[in-house]
Amino acid sequence: MPCDLSGKWVYASGDGMDALLDLLKVPAEKRPTDPSSTVEITQSGDDFTVKTTAADGNCREAKFTIGVEFSDPDIKALRGVEVKATPCWEGDKLVLKGSGGNGTATREIVGGQLVMSFDIMGTKATRFFNKA
């Protein structure tokens, strides 16, 4: 049975995000000057709502269902292009797989923290969140 990711999570630390943003060609003016954010996940069976609030108050919300392709609003906001992803469970990990097969974003609970791992065309980054 997949784990329950529901709850409010506060940014603790991260690694590799600059290299990932460089790879994705995210313009400097769209890059956060403060990496901290709060993620609120509501999970009901296979349906998810993920609300991300940046340190500057900017808020984005993604709604998706396991197995159903969707357009990721975070990527569109940062890169200005629409990227589709399909969410699935891999054990206790929630994995969003990019439609071109070029990347994944994974959410899982490790040692009481929400860990978000990105692997885009071989470039990896990780963000760690503590339960609020």
Side-chain angles (χ1 to χ4, degrees), residues 104-127:
T104 60
T106 302
R107 290 179 176 95
E108 64 182 314
I109 306 296
V110 178
Q113 285 187 308
L114 173 68
V115 178
M116 294 180 64
S117 303
F118 304 91
D119 185 345
I120 312 293
M121 295 181 280
T123 299
K124 298 179 184 197
T126 308
R127 291 177 52 105

Side-chain angles (χ1 to χ4, degrees), residues 20 23-24 75 83-86 95-106 117-123:
L20 185 64
L23 173 75
L24 296 174
I75 293 173
V83 174
K84 296 191 181 255
T86 303
V95 181
L96 297 154
K97 295 183 179 185
S99 60
N102 291 331
T104 60
T106 302
S117 303
F118 304 91
D119 185 345
I120 312 293
M121 295 181 280
T123 299

Side-chain angles (χ1 to χ4, degrees), residues 59-80:
C59 182
R60 287 188 290 276
E61 185 175 276
K63 293 184 179 190
F64 55 87
T65 300
I66 297 295
V68 179
E69 185 178 65
F70 75 105
S71 179
D72 190 321
D74 281 337
I75 293 173
K76 185 163 185 168
L78 287 173
R79 296 183 60 202

